Amino acid sequence: MAAKRKTPVKTRNPDLIRGVGKYSRSKMYHKRGLWAIKAKNGGVFPRHDSKPKSPAAAEKPPKFYPAEDIKKPLLNKRKSRPTKLRASITPGTVLILLAGRFMGKRVVFLKQLTSGLLLVTGPFKINGVPLRRVNQSYVIATSTKVDISGVNVEKFDDKYFSKEDKKKLPEEKKEDQTAVDTVLIKSIEGVPDLKAYLGARFSLKSGMKPHELVF
Amino acid sequence: MYPFKRYVEIGRVALVNYGKDYGKLVVIVDVVDQNRALVDAPDMVRSQMNFKRLTLTDIKIDINRVPKKKTLIDPMEKACVKNKWENSSWGRKLIVQKRQASLNDFGRFKLMLAKIKKAGMVRQELAKLKKEIAA
């Protein structure tokens, strides 16, 4: 195929009405520069004959034919990618966990892992939620954001959370937790009342209508 | 003494309590029949409304029956209808309600802290007064 253009051509022949172009065949011949291509090639259009085919290796007839025709599976061009992240969830968003051990806790979102789960931390000192993975569906995103610029979350991925020793938490993980949290806690303490907010659990009180609440 | 204080009259400002124009302040510009009024406001097209959709306020302005839009806006500005409304206790309550409804989760939390703090201060003062009386 000829080399692709860097910018797609906007049509040289705009439509007056659907089906009727502004320029005639002869005008378009001139506009496309076909006269120049012909001139460059000595008065004729350049021909690209297909290359002579090298003789294909002689195929041996197969030893075995299946009794019925085997069906080919349908083509599947789907690519696997992490779950689409809701627009309201950005790094630093305060999320409310809706299920599990930490139901109702308000927690800081760090990043989305390749499996699609959200990496989240309490911070641990504030509300007891460690670095943890959480599913996007079990979370309410609030509009409150924490400044997360000083935190390095590059090293955390899904493999980090596979448990080799189910009884004891390795020291390294405790250090990772404090490393992430100290930076976070400093930026949290910069906002008045935010620390107490993250330490408190969310609950529906009498008169609160979830469909009318602004989060 | 008299059972009614706010009357339907031309120039009475009313609050719309149902429908597309919910929450708007409108002026009664004419009465159509027993149930309906012709109603107008600077930011809406003049239209008829059932009285059931209106709640009368204390504010009244001085206009003739069915004034032109310009002749409506001038007395409204002079009487400062918007200001009077926003300073009245009813108007202030509505503004606070709207603001509280738009609070986000963090805002509601801070509101709760503020209420607790205020209640604590009130209780302290009350306790002091009680002690003085007991002494």
Side-chain angles (χ1 to χ4, degrees), chain B residues 4-19:
Chain B
F4 295 108
K5 285 215 220 111
R6 303 171 185 156
Y7 293 93
V8 169
E9 45 200 335
I10 297 184
R12 173 67 59 185
V13 173
L15 184 69
V16 179
N17 60 28
Y18 182 91

Side-chain angles (χ1 to χ4, degrees), chain A:
Chain A
M1 275 236 202
K4 279 210 130 123
R5 288 177 66 99
K6 290 201 179 70
T7 53
V9 189
K10 60 179 183 44
T11 49
R12 292 189 175 94
N13 193 0
D15 276 351
L16 294 174
I17 305 177
R18 192 182 80 140
V20 179
K22 185 171 172 188
Y23 299 108
S24 65
R25 283 184 77 95
S26 45
K27 282 265 166 52
M28 279 313 293
Y29 174 89
H30 181 76
K31 267 171 103 71
R32 285 168 67 195
L34 301 179
W35 53 273
I37 297 176
K38 260 183 145 183
K40 215 166 158 203
N41 205 38
V44 283
F45 279 118
R47 278 185 64 179
H48 298 283
D49 289 319
S50 55
K51 293 193 192 66
K53 280 220 192 85
S54 52
E59 269 191 38
K60 283 202 313 196
K63 268 191 272 186
F64 170 74
Y65 290 98
E68 311 261 334
D69 283 332
I70 37 169
K71 283 202 174 131
K72 271 179 43 196
L74 292 170
L75 198 57
N76 181 2
K77 280 191 162 174
R78 289 185 171 170
K79 297 198 192 96
S80 87
R81 45 174 69 100
T83 334
K84 186 149 181 250
L85 197 59
R86 264 182 269 159
S88 52
I89 303 179
T90 62
T93 314
V94 173
L95 308 174
I96 300 176
L97 301 180
L98 294 175
R101 187 167 161 206
F102 301 106
M103 176 158 55
K105 294 269 189 198
R106 294 165 171 128
V107 133
V108 178
F109 169 68
L110 297 174
K111 73 171 186 179
Q112 185 182 32
L113 305 168
T114 46
S115 63
L117 299 173
L118 313 179
L119 176 65
V120 125
T121 180
F124 186 67
K125 277 239 154 67
I126 297 184
N127 56 20
V129 180
L131 281 163
R132 199 171 202 265
R133 292 182 300 171
V134 130
N135 189 313
Q136 204 191 153
S137 307
Y138 299 96
V139 135
I140 293 182
T142 65
S143 49
T144 320
K145 312 265 184 216
V146 173
D147 181 18
I148 211 182
S149 49
V151 181
N152 186 343
V153 280
E154 298 288 311
K155 68 182 284 204
F156 302 117
D157 60 351
D158 290 292
K159 268 203 333 227
Y160 177 86
F161 291 98
S162 63
K163 288 193 183 129
E164 288 94 26
D165 178 6
K166 296 217 174 165
K167 298 262 173 162
K168 203 164 153 17
L169 186 68
E171 274 303 314
E172 195 193 63
K173 291 209 174 169
K174 294 190 192 171
E175 288 169 10
D176 291 334
Q177 180 77 52
T178 47
V180 169
D181 283 356
T182 35
V183 190
L184 258 184
I185 291 181
K186 224 188 298 190
S187 58
I188 287 173
E189 288 179 340
V191 182
D193 294 330
L194 187 58
K195 193 160 176 216
Y197 174 61
L198 290 175
R201 279 207 209 225
F202 170 83
S203 69
L204 279 179
K205 311 274 194 327
S206 180
M208 286 175 127
K209 299 176 192 160
H211 69 291
E212 284 180 0
L213 289 179
V214 169
F215 281 101

